[in-house]
């Protein structure tokens, strides 16, 4: 699957995965000490490498919710946050059969394995 990266300001990028009706948007925002990536798309692109090419800061991920088009690349990152209210949706949308059905086999083999639910981080830690 293809992708596009657009810089929208200093330390801020939109990463678009896919095209047409089958696309997902991720946002990389850089602070002074670390960067945050909002969502991880379908998992069909080397999102970790793309982000590392844009910043040398450590990257933490915040998943806005648990749908397959927002969690696909979560296994590429070490620290991923998700609201405990979305645990069940994440669990359902992590099912490989469901993901392959929706993503039509376009997932990056590295991203085929999502971050296990028990390894997600929760909390209100401030990201600077």
């Amino acid at each position: 699957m293809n992708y596009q990266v657009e810089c929208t300001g200093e330390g801020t990028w939109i990463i678009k995965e896919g095209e047409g009706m089958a696309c997902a948007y991720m946002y990389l925002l850089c602070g002074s000490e670390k960067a945050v990536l909002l969502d991880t798309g379908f998992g069909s692109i080397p999102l970790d490498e793309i982000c590392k090419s844009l910043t040398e800061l450590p990257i933490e991920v915040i998943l806005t919710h648990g749908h397959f088009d927002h969690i696909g690349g979560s296994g590429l990152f070490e620290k991923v946050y998700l609201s405990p209210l979305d645990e069940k949706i994440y669990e359902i949308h992590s099912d490989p059969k469901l993901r392959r059905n929706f993503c039509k086999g376009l997932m990056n083999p590295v991203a085929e394995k999502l971050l296990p639910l028990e390894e997600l981080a929760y909390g209100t830690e401030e990201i600077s």
Side-chain angles (χ1 to χ4, degrees), residues 36-106:
V36 66
L37 176 65
L38 299 177
D39 292 330
T40 60
F42 293 105
S44 71
I45 60 175
L47 188 58
D48 55 339
E49 294 173 17
I50 294 166
C51 291
K52 288 175 186 174
S53 76
L54 300 172
T55 183
E56 294 180 1
L57 294 170
I59 300 166
E60 296 185 3
V61 174
I62 298 174
L63 301 175
T64 58
H65 61 286
H67 287 161
F68 69 91
D69 58 333
H70 293 259
I71 66 171
S74 67
L76 299 172
F77 298 89
E78 287 185 32
K79 195 152 192 183
V80 180
Y81 293 90
L82 175 72
S83 168
L85 299 174
D86 253 45
E87 284 182 353
K88 188 65 175 168
I89 294 296
Y90 184 93
E91 189 173 39
I92 292 168
H93 283 249
S94 293
D95 180 90
K97 291 177 188 173
L98 180 130
R99 292 183 65 229
R100 282 192 198 97
N101 182 43
F102 280 108
C103 299
K104 307 282 190 253
L106 298 173

